Amino acid sequence: MILRRLASASFLVLAVLAAHGCARLRPEPGVPAPEVREVRVEFDFGEAPLEWVGGLPVSEARINGRGPYKMVVDTGASMILLEEGLVRRLRLKPVAGAAGWVVTDGTGTSSTLVAYTVGRLELGGIEVRNMPAITAPDGAIFERSGRRVAGVVPGFFPGATAWFDYAAGRFVINEEPLAADGADNLPMLPHPMPIIPLRIGDRDHPFLIDTGYTGGIQVTRELAGQMGLDAPHASGTGYSTSGPNTQHAQVFEGTIGLGPYRIEKPLIAWNAGGPGVSIIGMEILRHFRLGLDMRNRVARLELMPEPAGQ
């Protein structure tokens, strides 16, 4: 059901990737820099069915009339991410001048990728047009999600409010602002991505709300050191669009403040080489009905009687 068309939203992009959403492009040595231009990304307010797949919120999408394909709805993404094989099957063409560019995402991870533009993506009643897209190697997204999804779509849009309602099984994009005096509200930091403060000790630290991360809390290597996390209980290999990375995990013998809520003795993960921003993921977010008012920079976490995925 389409509620209303938003005709004024746009992303400022360098080449093709959305700078409005925290992605930045820089050329490889010897690659001439293309001119900066604005690409208008139009989207319709509406809602889409939401299901629980591999610990992540997933919905079915049609891309340029084909599909449906299962896609993670990811608040840590500012553009579409598709497997290379799917891009070939869809016959998407690279945007001129976009090959060989380095994409730096909201976590500080850099990858040399080819950029595309998806003409039309339908996610239930939500339709997005002219959205930037990048690719991941075949198998990379599947490994993150139990080999059951084909890509990633952004879980927020500039100037709109997004709701992740797991109990009702729906993802909603509308223009209704969150009440300014809500007890469950958290202020977002002045940043294009949904970043909120979490309190550790007597200090607030920025954390990206990331519905594309199956874990609970992942911190930067620097913050891990400040928290005294120097004896990991476990280590392993994690995956991102830039490839595998070494991850460590340790129980934090303390409390982390999430607005009016307290997280006691959480298991904290961190990467040996990053990332550039700390993350709060679905192991914690699945306990809440999540709202993101990107216009007024407010997030809301409404505690649910039962966490999603139970």
Side-chain angles (χ1 to χ4, degrees), residues 183-269:
D184 295 324
N185 285 1
L186 288 85
M188 289 190 207
L189 302 183
H191 192 283
M193 301 291 280
I195 293 179
I196 58 174
L198 269 64
R199 177 148 294 241
I200 302 174
D202 59 356
R203 291 185 57 190
D204 287 338
H205 298 269
F207 278 75
L208 172 68
I209 296 175
D210 190 353
T211 59
Y213 173 54
T214 57
I217 294 178
Q218 180 172 299
V219 301
T220 64
R221 185 172 54 179
E222 178 183 8
L223 182 54
Q226 295 174 12
M227 296 171 68
L229 302 176
D230 54 5
H233 300 158
S235 297
T237 301
Y239 295 88
S240 70
T241 56
S242 59
N245 53 74
T246 301
Q247 291 188 335
H248 305 296
Q250 182 176 339
V251 173
F252 174 56
E253 298 293 338
T255 300
I256 294 180
L258 176 62
Y261 306 102
R262 298 293 177 267
I263 307 169
E264 303 285 346
K265 295 185 177 181
L267 182 68
I268 306 294

Side-chain angles (χ1 to χ4, degrees), residues 89-174:
R89 292 194 298 274
L90 292 170
R91 298 181 180 179
L92 298 182
K93 295 182 179 180
V95 174
W101 282 68
V102 177
V103 181
T104 303
D105 65 18
T107 67
T109 302
S110 296
S111 310
T112 302
L113 301 169
V114 176
Y116 303 82
T117 296
V118 172
R120 181 164 57 99
L121 182 141
E122 300 164 273
L123 198 70
I126 303 167
E127 183 174 312
V128 184
R129 296 170 293 280
N130 204 32
M131 170 63 79
I134 55 175
T135 63
D138 289 346
I141 305 175
F142 289 106
E143 287 197 41
R144 288 181 61 200
S145 313
R147 306 185 63 83
R148 295 172 65 179
V149 299
V152 171
V153 296
F156 70 94
F157 293 92
T161 298
W163 278 104
F164 289 78
D165 192 338
Y166 306 113
R170 62 179 191 156
F171 171 63
V172 179
I173 296 289
N174 62 34

